[in-house]
């Protein structure tokens, strides 16, 4: 049996039922509004997932509801307010637009989107596709690199849905870390940013972090992040010393993947680097972690440490090249699903 995160799709329910076919594009999730109450509801669902926090529930639940949520929710809500779009949360807006763009490229397939946490939820959207006549549904989590904290959590839900009476056939793509078309789209985005804004002295590729113990236990996430980074650097023709990899969004006190993005930026500033360009290849859609943490918070960290400026390169979002790449990935998986 292939290892978790291998370049393959996971068949969760099999039969020879023919099309029509559906595709469900899944992202992490987001609060419904930039308010403390909405953020608290979202964080409560997210942080209750055992894939995300693996502490004993007897220890974790009182800490979560008695300390973390009351203190963290108002602070996080203020951060969301800084990046909120006219149409809603950036992650929700960009995910919906991306799903629509993929659907435009697959006119014979019904494409929808869902969130692992919050709304629209996976089970509801699978049933909606089924009600439209889809006997088979391919699930595409927007996590290019496999992790037990993200991809496996989506698989948990998909497996539960697959076991329900009368469920459609379900199949899931679990990674596309080095998909050539996605790498080409990322490279094109970086080049376009350089052409429009000039080029920094270093390109920092920042990925979301996970606890080091998970990697030590076999999670392939770190390896796949470095594979993505190397493929992108090669596509851009970057040499040694022109690009770096770092990991952001640390939560809690345990050791996470290193080096940390904020520490890396301080080190670059201390070494006299004037401008850094930052791209986040593990985030297909812009969200709190890119627009607030990188473009605002880490930009200030770099300046305060003596750096000249941080130029954030936006995620691919619903860019045509991104939609083309993911539509081609979906088509290949659907064609292989016989």
């Amino acid at each position: 049996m292939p290892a978790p995160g291998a370049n393959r799709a996971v068949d969760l329910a099999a039969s020879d039922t023919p099309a029509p076919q559906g595709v469900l594009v899944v992202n992490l999730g987001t609060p419904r509004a930039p308010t403390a109450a909405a953020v608290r509801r979202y964080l409560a669902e997210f942080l209750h997932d055992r894939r995300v926090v693996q502490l004993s529930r007897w220890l974790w639940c009182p800490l979560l509801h008695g300390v973390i949520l009351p203190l963290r929710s108002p602070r996080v809500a203020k951060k969301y307010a800084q990046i909120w779009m006219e149409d809603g949360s950036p992650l929700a807006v960009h995910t919906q637009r991306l799903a629509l763009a993929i659907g435009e490229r697959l006119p014979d397939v019904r494409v929808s989107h869902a969130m692992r946490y919050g709304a629209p939820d996976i089970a509801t959207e699978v049933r909606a596709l089924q009600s439209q006549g889809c006997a088979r549904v391919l699930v595409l989590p927007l996590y290019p690199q496999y992790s037990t904290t993200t991809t496996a959590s989506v698989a948990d839900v998909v497996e539960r849905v697959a076991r329900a009476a009368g469920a459609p056939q379900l199949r899931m793509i679990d990674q596309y870390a080095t998909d050539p078309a996605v790498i080409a789209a990322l490279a094109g985005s970086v080049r376009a940013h350089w052409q429009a804004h000039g080029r920094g002295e270093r390109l920092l590729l920042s990925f979301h972090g996970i606890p080091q113990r998970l990697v030590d236990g076999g999670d392939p996430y770190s390896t796949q992040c470095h594979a993505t980074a190397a493929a992108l650097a090669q596509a851009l023709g970057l040499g040694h010393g022109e690009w770096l990899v770092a990991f952001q969004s640390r939560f809690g006190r345990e050791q996470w993947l290193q080096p940390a993005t904020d520490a890396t930026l301080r080190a670059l500033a201390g070494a006299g680097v004037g401008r850094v360009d930052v791209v986040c290849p593990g985030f297909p859609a812009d969200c709190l972690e890119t627009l607030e943490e990188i473009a605002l918070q880490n930009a200030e960290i770099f300046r305060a440490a003596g750096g000249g400026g941080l130029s954030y390169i936006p995620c691919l979002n619903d860019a045509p090249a991104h939609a083309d790449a993911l539509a081609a990935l979906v088509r290949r998986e659907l064609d292989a699903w016989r």
Side-chain angles (χ1 to χ4, degrees):
M1 180 177 180
N7 188 19
R8 48 92 176 122
V10 181
D11 210 348
L12 298 173
S15 79
D16 57 0
T17 307
Q21 300 175 106
V23 170
L24 187 61
V25 178
V26 178
N27 213 331
L28 184 77
T30 179
R32 288 180 176 269
T35 64
V39 168
R40 181 166 182 157
R41 286 192 295 272
Y42 168 70
L43 288 179
E45 182 181 3
F46 174 53
L47 295 174
H48 265 289
D49 188 346
R50 292 179 183 272
R51 293 284 192 181
V52 176
V53 179
Q54 298 177 1
L55 295 174
S56 162
R57 300 298 98 172
W58 290 100
L59 171 65
W60 177 240
C61 289
L63 179 62
L64 176 63
H65 291 279
V67 179
I68 294 174
L69 291 178
L71 295 178
R72 190 175 180 85
S73 299
R75 293 200 301 264
V76 174
K78 290 179 181 178
K79 294 181 178 184
Y80 270 107
Q82 291 181 281
I83 64 162
W84 209 256
M85 300 171 67
E86 182 177 349
D87 294 334
S89 165
L91 182 138
V93 171
H94 293 310
T95 299
Q96 182 177 24
R97 291 175 180 174
L98 177 58
L100 289 171
I102 293 171
E104 291 171 356
R105 289 156 173 79
L106 300 169
D108 59 326
V109 178
R110 296 185 176 103
V111 180
S112 186
H113 76 283
M115 300 294 174
R116 171 60 184 89
Y117 313 101
D121 67 272
I122 294 171
T124 298
E125 291 306 307
V126 168
R127 288 193 294 268
L129 287 169
Q130 186 178 21
S131 71
Q132 297 172 41
C134 296
R136 305 196 302 185
V137 176
L138 178 68
V139 179
L140 172 62
L142 292 178
Y143 306 134
Q145 300 80 26
Y146 178 98
S147 174
T148 55
T149 62
T150 52
T151 323
S153 182
V154 173
D156 291 343
V157 177
V158 174
E159 287 172 358
R160 288 198 295 269
V161 174
R163 294 191 189 104
Q169 297 175 67
L170 291 168
R171 185 176 172 101
M172 196 179 95
I173 298 172
D174 70 356
Q175 66 92 16
Y176 52 98
T178 56
D179 181 86
V182 174
I183 296 298
L186 284 166
S189 175
V190 173
R191 291 192 194 97
H193 186 87
W194 285 344
Q195 184 174 7
H197 304 284
R199 180 170 170 176
E201 298 168 49
R202 300 287 190 280
L203 177 65
L204 178 62
L205 292 83
S206 183
F207 295 86
H208 200 292
I210 64 172
Q212 180 64 45
R213 62 177 168 78
L214 298 178
V215 175
D216 294 342
D219 191 308
Y221 177 73
S222 177
T223 298
Q224 292 190 6
C225 287
H226 284 282
T228 298
L232 178 55
Q234 182 178 20
L236 290 168
L238 298 180
H240 178 73
E242 294 183 292
W243 59 282
L244 308 90
V245 172
F247 297 91
Q248 64 183 85
S249 309
R250 178 178 176 272
F251 177 77
R253 296 183 179 181
E254 69 176 310
Q255 183 72 30
W256 277 42
L257 290 175
Q258 297 292 322
T261 296
D262 54 0
T264 299
L265 289 169
R266 290 189 182 97
L268 288 171
V273 174
R275 173 180 151 179
V276 174
D277 299 325
V278 182
V279 64
C280 298
F283 294 88
D286 273 310
C287 55
L288 187 71
E289 287 80 3
T290 62
L291 299 175
E292 193 280 331
E293 184 179 355
I294 296 297
L296 297 178
Q297 185 183 144
N298 277 271
E300 178 55 33
I301 288 171
F302 185 60
R303 287 192 297 268
L310 184 154
S311 183
Y312 170 64
I313 301 172
C315 294
L316 292 176
N317 296 317
D318 63 334
H322 193 203
D324 288 343
L326 294 184
L329 173 62
V330 165
R331 176 60 71 194
R332 288 196 302 273
E333 293 296 340
L334 290 175
D335 289 346
W337 189 3
R338 301 298 183 187

